[in-house]
Amino acid sequence: MRLIYLIIIILLLPFTSEAGKITGKITSEKGEPVEFATIYARGLNNTATSNERGEYEFFITLKGSYTLVVQSIGYKIFEKNIQITDENLVLNIKLETEFYMLEAVTISASDKDPAYSIIEKAQAKRKYYLREELKSSQCRIYTKGLQRMTKRPTSMFGQNITLDTGIVYLSESISDVSFKQTKQYSEKMISSRVSGNNRGFSFNQASDAWVNLYENINGQEMTQRGVVSPIASNAMAYYRYRLVGTSKEKDNIIHKIQLIPKRSNAPAYAGFIYIIDGSWRIYSAEIYLRKEVMEFVDSAAVQQNYVPQKINDTTEIWVPSSQKIIFYFKVLGFEGNGYYNHFFSNYNLQPNFPKKHFKSIAFTVEKDANKRDDKYWEELRPLPLSIEEKKDYKRRDSLQIVKESKPYQDSVDQHRNKFRPLQILFGYNYSHGYSKTRFSIPGLFGLFQYNTVEGYAINFAPTFRKTYQSRRFFTLEPTVRYGFSNQKWQGKLASTFYFNPQKNGFFNVEGGQFIEQFSRQNSITPFQNTFYTLLDKQNFLKIYEKAYGRFAFAHDITPGIRFAAVTEYAERRELQNTSLDYQWRDVGGREFTPNIPITLAETPTLSTNSTSLTIGGTMTFNFGAKYAIYPDRKFTIDSKYPTIRLSYRKGLKTAGSQVDYDFINLNITDDYNLGVLGKLSLEVEAGKFLNTSAMSFIDYRHFLGNQTLFYRKDSGSFQLLDYYSHSTNDQYIKAHFSQNFGGFITNSIPLLKKIKPNLVMNGNYLYTPKTESYFEGGIGLETIFVSVYYFRSWDTFLPQNQGLRLGFIF
């Protein structure tokens, strides 16, 4: 039936939409075009907006008499009675400048500006308008996003930058969105257009578009911390207010109030907010964020409007009609700007939602959303395209066929694949666009390594990737390694097939003879170990040799539940140090340690030489998660509940295997957005070996320690814990927290606010029956490129260690 309705609607469009097409140009008294003016007809629920040349198009589908209304910030409301017939109507509109008059009031030095009283009344009504006045609603949202590059570097880290200046992204979308004031939403994108890609889908998500000033904290679309609303319950701590003046718009008195942040780096808007007298609701806003408040862009501005809509014959409320976000950025040699326009129409303010309307799939894109033609967009687009946008659509769409041809892609590949000297250090990528294949060769930074077992080693690991339709892909990763001191060759081959993007399904096959660290996750990177071995005479890397075959599989079972499994058969052999007399810098009194972890050295009965057959599985539960479903992929948007992972690993004493053990663990993680206080991340994990009949030290539960100056970014890691010092085959519990305050504190410190670092506090805890309680706490400053942290640790409640840790973007 839905298909039949859709066919009927498409067939009727030519006979309905054109009957009431109104076009024209909106100008000021001086003849200047008025951009972003809102156009609507009283009693109808659709709106339109003027473009940068003041041009507009507005559709009324039924014949009759209507009152056309045009409103724009800074101008008086325009109203005109019009008659809709079969003929299109051309109506040019001239708006009169609105003068906000400040009444003559005697104010003493101790009196507050009258704006404070108005804001206090708006604060008192904020929660009502946010949660109580409108319990639920449905509307249609048109979104247009444009990003342009005005300046770019020619290369970065040895890689060519092929991105052109000018418009780099232009997209339009139309979505039907449902809201409930319990923060539930559901969005279906019914139309999508991406300039130069008629098979692509827009990344616009209309349900997250509105900067809701009725929320205490909003603006997360523009800054990570969020911004305090000018009518938030605690707004007086962040703003000063000044009443600019008052005007009358028909039956409403509008107060124009200037917003002045108390500090230049406070998470607060500057600009103007317009409040309706009596109802104390927001009429419109012109606000912007300064560079000091932004993390990733230089500045941003927001302009938004509300319009009245009737719930019934006697009740009228004001709802969002349009919003424009403009931003400017400058980072790493890239400069540019862009904007996002959002237009709200077709309101249903008393919807009757089905019981399971708000489910885990919060955002979906219809399969044929990108198949709409130009006529469709011309009829439904609420504002005309600008000249720049028209040119970009025409140029990119006409070039798409050319760009998809083999000769064109071969010419692009020839330029992109041209070798440059810096690629010797950072690696070389060869791409063939037409066949969607890519081949990568590592640079010197990843090719040469050093450790006391192999001496100097060459680790050559090229990768091959083939991408198929529907975002499926296949990778092949051969690795060949040679140690010059122990004179041993190692090799392995891994392949992965990502076969189901909708359910994140893949399988991986891997095998060969290769070196492996004792920890299942790498305790230390090869670069860090090379650095410390040659320059500080500390060989932290502990490795063994493994001849193995491995198979892994993962797939989403249902939204919110994922299953992963792995099985491995391996022969594991000890390796000895063969290069103990070589270093770049000798450190007196320090000797290299044997190639066995400290715990294994204290327990010599735990032999590394063994054969093992293991199986394992992990169930991941992400209850309450919201998902975005595209025709060719799926994303997790957010979740109000923690993520739970239950894992089991079994050593099977069969087929020559010498291990027999059972291990189970439970991991819980969650993130909390604390508004202007930043973000809190928590992780708790508990595990136990249920059976330890036969196992090697390799099979223990190892924890990610750190004895280097380099900060560990791995989830669940420690910063001062010695490698393998707390490894266990018993039970354990560990916990981690990280509080990123953003610029909440540092933006108030003169020496720091210019570089805009984030203040971070960390805590890590570990308990095992043998080593008992270990705790470490740290504080640090994070920037985009470099981060610095100070940590201190306690073992069994006694001070143990302290030190600095440095983090780098690379």
Side-chain angles (χ1 to χ4, degrees):
M1 290 296 295
R2 190 172 71 178
L3 178 60
I4 295 174
Y5 293 149
L6 181 60
I7 294 172
I8 293 173
I9 291 171
I10 293 173
L11 290 175
L12 290 178
L13 275 175
F15 303 100
T16 58
S17 297
E18 290 298 326
K21 183 178 181 181
I22 309 167
T23 62
K25 187 172 184 178
I26 302 172
T27 59
S28 68
E29 294 169 300
K30 297 179 181 180
E32 299 171 343
V34 177
E35 179 186 7
F36 206 62
T38 298
I39 303 100
Y40 65 97
R42 293 199 183 279
L44 301 182
N45 57 10
N46 60 315
T47 63
T49 301
S50 58
N51 64 14
E52 85 287 351
R53 289 176 292 162
E55 298 169 341
Y56 75 94
E57 293 179 353
F58 185 62
F59 295 91
I60 299 178
T61 58
L62 299 177
K63 299 176 184 179
S65 298
Y66 297 91
T67 300
L68 187 72
V69 183
V70 179
Q71 70 180 56
S72 181
I73 297 175
Y75 296 92
K76 292 182 180 180
I77 287 182
F78 172 90
E79 290 191 4
K80 184 178 179 64
N81 293 325
I82 59 173
Q83 189 72 28
I84 297 301
T85 65
D86 290 331
E87 299 294 329
N88 293 336
L89 177 63
V90 178
L91 180 62
N92 294 320
I93 299 169
K94 182 174 292 187
L95 298 182
E96 297 180 20
T97 302
E98 180 66 85
F99 295 100
Y100 288 85
M101 306 301 295
L102 191 59
E103 296 181 3
V105 179
T106 302
I107 302 176
S108 66
S110 60
D111 288 340
K112 285 185 177 181
D113 189 285
Y116 284 86
S117 175
I118 298 170
I119 291 295
E120 287 170 356
K121 291 181 174 67
Q123 287 175 319
K125 297 286 287 185
R126 181 192 64 82
K127 188 177 292 186
Y128 171 76
Y129 291 134
L130 178 66
R131 295 278 181 259
E132 300 173 19
E133 181 185 46
L134 190 62
K135 299 295 184 182
S136 59
S137 65
Q138 284 181 308
C139 67
R140 175 161 290 183
I141 303 178
Y142 165 88
T143 302
K144 178 171 66 178
L146 181 145
Q147 298 173 28
R148 63 171 66 86
M149 191 78 63
T150 58
K151 185 179 179 180
R152 65 168 178 83
T154 56
S155 63
M156 181 176 293
F157 302 122
Q159 302 298 320
N160 298 325
I161 305 297
T162 59
L163 192 66
D164 293 331
T165 56
I167 294 179
V168 295
Y169 176 78
L170 172 60
S171 174
E172 298 175 277
S173 63
I174 297 176
S175 295
D176 288 330
V177 184
S178 305
F179 292 99
K180 287 188 73 173
Q181 298 298 25
T182 52
K183 293 189 177 182
Q184 292 179 293
Y185 66 89
S186 175
E187 176 179 351
K188 177 182 289 186
M189 184 182 289
I190 60 173
S191 309
S192 171
R193 184 179 185 184
V194 181
S195 180
N197 185 1
N198 60 19
R199 289 191 294 272
F201 294 95
S202 171
F203 281 93
N204 303 334
Q205 189 169 338
S207 50
D208 283 343
W210 186 249
V211 179
N212 193 345
L213 296 180
Y214 288 111
E215 293 277 5
N216 275 327
I217 305 296
N218 51 70
Q220 287 89 351
E221 302 84 358
M222 299 173 290
T223 176
Q224 184 178 2
R225 294 171 59 201
V227 187
V228 177
S229 168
I231 61 170
S233 56
N234 62 338
M236 298 293 180
Y238 295 89
Y239 290 93
R240 294 195 301 271
Y241 304 94
R242 186 177 71 87
L243 179 62
V244 177
T246 298
S247 69
K248 189 171 183 180
E249 298 286 1
K250 299 302 178 182
D251 298 329
N252 295 306
I253 296 175
I254 312 298
H255 301 291
K256 180 179 181 180
I257 297 174
Q258 184 179 6
L259 308 175
I260 308 167
K262 287 189 171 181
R263 300 177 306 278
S264 63
N265 49 19
Y269 298 105
F272 301 93
I273 188 171
Y274 299 76
I275 304 293
I276 301 176
D277 190 86
S279 64
W280 311 113
R281 64 169 79 244
I282 299 172
Y283 175 77
S284 59
E286 292 177 293
I287 51 182
Y288 64 90
L289 292 173
R290 301 174 179 177
K291 182 177 181 179
E292 294 86 350
V293 184
M294 310 295 288
E295 293 101 353
F296 306 111
V297 298
D298 274 8
S299 61
V302 180
Q303 184 177 341
Q304 56 182 214
N305 297 297
Y306 288 77
V307 294
Q309 290 283 324
K310 286 188 175 181
I311 295 181
N312 49 51
D313 292 339
T314 60
T315 306
E316 184 179 75
I317 66 172
W318 289 66
V319 295
S321 66
S322 60
Q323 175 180 269
K324 184 171 186 176
I325 299 177
I326 306 171
F327 57 89
Y328 300 86
F329 63 88
K330 182 178 181 181
V331 60
L332 296 176
F334 293 94
E335 295 182 24
N337 56 70
Y339 56 80
Y340 279 89
N341 287 326
H342 310 284
F343 305 100
F344 303 74
S345 62
N346 295 6
Y347 273 99
N348 179 2
L349 302 180
Q350 292 181 311
N352 184 17
F353 295 125
K355 186 176 181 180
K356 293 185 178 181
H357 184 74
F358 298 97
K359 52 186 179 179
S360 60
I361 302 175
F363 176 83
T364 58
V365 179
E366 288 190 352
K367 182 179 180 181
D368 295 328
N370 58 357
K371 301 296 191 295
R372 316 300 187 190
D373 60 16
D374 288 343
K375 183 175 179 58
Y376 171 92
W377 285 104
E378 289 172 3
E379 293 172 347
L380 293 185
R381 183 184 290 123
L383 82 165
L385 294 174
S386 68
I387 295 176
E388 181 187 30
E389 292 163 349
K390 287 180 178 179
K391 287 182 178 179
D392 188 75
Y393 270 133
K394 184 176 181 180
R395 181 178 65 88
R396 288 177 180 266
D397 291 349
S398 61
L399 286 176
Q400 182 178 356
I401 298 176
V402 177
K403 288 185 174 182
E404 291 179 348
S405 67
K406 188 176 185 300
Y408 178 86
Q409 294 197 21
D410 286 347
S411 67
V412 173
D413 290 339
Q414 185 177 7
H415 173 73
R416 181 169 48 196
N417 296 331
K418 186 178 179 181
F419 182 79
R420 288 181 171 58
L422 277 178
Q423 292 175 329
I424 296 175
L425 298 177
F426 296 102
Y428 174 74
N429 295 321
Y430 177 86
S431 300
H432 190 254
Y434 190 75
S435 62
K436 296 182 179 180
T437 57
R438 186 180 67 194
F439 185 71
S440 301
I441 300 174
L444 293 179
F445 281 159
L447 184 63
F448 291 101
Q449 303 172 15
Y450 183 86
N451 60 73
T452 55
V453 174
E454 301 171 294
Y456 280 106
I458 293 179
N459 193 86
F460 183 66
T463 61
F464 170 81
R465 175 173 172 140
K466 167 70 175 178
T467 302
Y468 304 94
Q469 291 183 349
S470 302
R471 294 185 180 268
R472 297 174 301 125
F473 65 84
F474 169 78
T475 64
L476 195 64
E477 302 176 71
T479 304
V480 178
R481 185 182 182 95
Y482 180 73
F484 287 92
S485 180
N486 66 353
Q487 299 181 354
K488 294 196 70 172
W489 287 94
Q490 310 280 354
K492 64 179 180 178
L493 179 65
S495 65
T496 300
F497 182 45
Y498 188 70
F499 63 88
N500 190 341
Q502 282 282 9
K503 295 190 175 182
N504 294 312
F506 74 88
F507 63 80
N508 169 270
V509 179
E510 184 177 327
Q513 176 178 294
F514 214 73
I515 63 168
E516 190 89 1
Q517 296 192 39
F518 280 81
S519 55
R520 291 183 171 269
Q521 294 174 276
N522 287 341
S523 292
I524 185 172
T525 68
F527 169 78
Q528 292 171 358
N529 181 75
T530 299
F531 179 89
Y532 271 86
T533 303
L534 294 176
L535 295 176
D536 204 38
K537 205 173 183 180
Q538 296 190 86
N539 57 328
F540 294 126
L541 183 73
K542 307 302 176 185
I543 56 178
Y544 66 96
E545 185 178 75
K546 179 171 75 172
Y548 70 105
R550 181 177 181 271
F551 176 80
F553 169 83
H555 200 272
D556 292 347
I557 300 175
T558 64
I561 301 179
R562 181 172 177 80
F563 174 70
V566 61
T567 182
E568 179 184 275
Y569 188 87
E571 292 185 3
R572 308 178 294 194
R573 296 182 285 269
E574 291 182 356
L575 293 173
Q576 303 296 328
N577 287 328
T578 64
S579 180
L580 296 174
D581 299 325
Y582 181 81
Q583 65 271 326
W584 290 358
R585 173 176 169 265
D586 189 22
V587 179
R590 182 177 293 169
E591 298 295 335
F592 288 122
T593 58
N595 183 42
I596 51 175
I598 181 173
T599 306
L600 181 56
E602 296 172 353
T603 314
T605 56
L606 296 173
S607 174
T608 302
N609 296 322
S610 61
T611 301
S612 70
L613 174 62
T614 58
I615 58 171
T618 299
M619 293 291 295
T620 301
F621 304 93
N622 205 351
F623 300 117
K626 298 293 185 181
Y627 296 91
I629 304 294
Y630 286 75
D632 55 355
R633 60 195 184 278
K634 181 178 77 171
F635 299 103
T636 300
I637 302 174
D638 57 34
S639 174
K640 60 181 180 179
Y641 298 110
T643 298
I644 301 172
R645 294 179 180 87
L646 180 63
S647 300
Y648 173 75
R649 175 161 47 96
K650 169 67 176 176
L652 296 170
K653 200 169 187 178
T654 185
S657 172
Q658 299 168 298
V659 297
D660 180 10
Y661 66 88
D662 297 88
F663 172 69
I664 189 171
N665 79 323
L666 177 69
N667 179 280
I668 302 174
T669 59
D670 204 3
D671 294 325
Y672 301 90
N673 190 336
L674 305 181
V676 295
L677 293 178
K679 179 181 176 182
L680 174 65
S681 298
L682 297 176
E683 178 179 352
V684 178
E685 180 178 313
K688 181 177 177 60
F689 282 87
L690 306 175
N691 163 36
T692 59
S693 299
M695 58 190 306
S696 165
F697 180 73
I698 300 169
D699 305 310
Y700 276 40
R701 175 61 168 101
H702 304 291
F703 305 100
L704 294 177
N706 188 13
Q707 293 176 252
T708 74
L709 184 65
F710 302 102
Y711 178 76
R712 289 206 75 130
K713 297 181 181 180
D714 315 69
S715 173
S717 61
F718 297 83
Q719 302 301 329
L720 296 177
L721 186 71
D722 288 354
Y723 303 118
Y724 305 105
S725 60
H726 286 59
S727 297
T728 184
N729 66 342
D730 203 339
Q731 60 191 12
Y732 70 92
I733 185 170
K734 71 187 189 84
H736 308 268
F737 86 85
S738 177
Q739 171 67 49
N740 188 327
F741 289 96
F744 178 70
I745 296 175
T746 53
N747 280 359
S748 301
I749 302 174
L751 294 177
L752 295 177
K753 65 182 182 180
K754 288 187 177 182
I755 59 175
K756 296 190 287 189
N758 293 335
L759 178 67
V760 180
M761 294 182 63
N762 295 291
N764 305 305
Y765 174 79
L766 175 62
Y767 171 83
T768 68
K770 182 178 180 180
T771 57
E772 297 187 352
S773 293
Y774 170 87
F775 174 77
E776 61 183 33
I779 187 169
L781 296 175
E782 294 184 349
T783 67
I784 296 178
F785 303 104
V786 181
S787 304
V788 181
Y789 312 84
Y790 168 78
F791 281 89
R792 187 172 181 84
S793 64
W794 292 261
D795 208 342
T796 60
F797 305 103
L798 296 176
Q800 184 189 42
N801 200 0
Q802 61 181 332
L804 293 176
R805 294 293 182 262
L806 301 178
F808 301 95
I809 189 173
F810 52 85

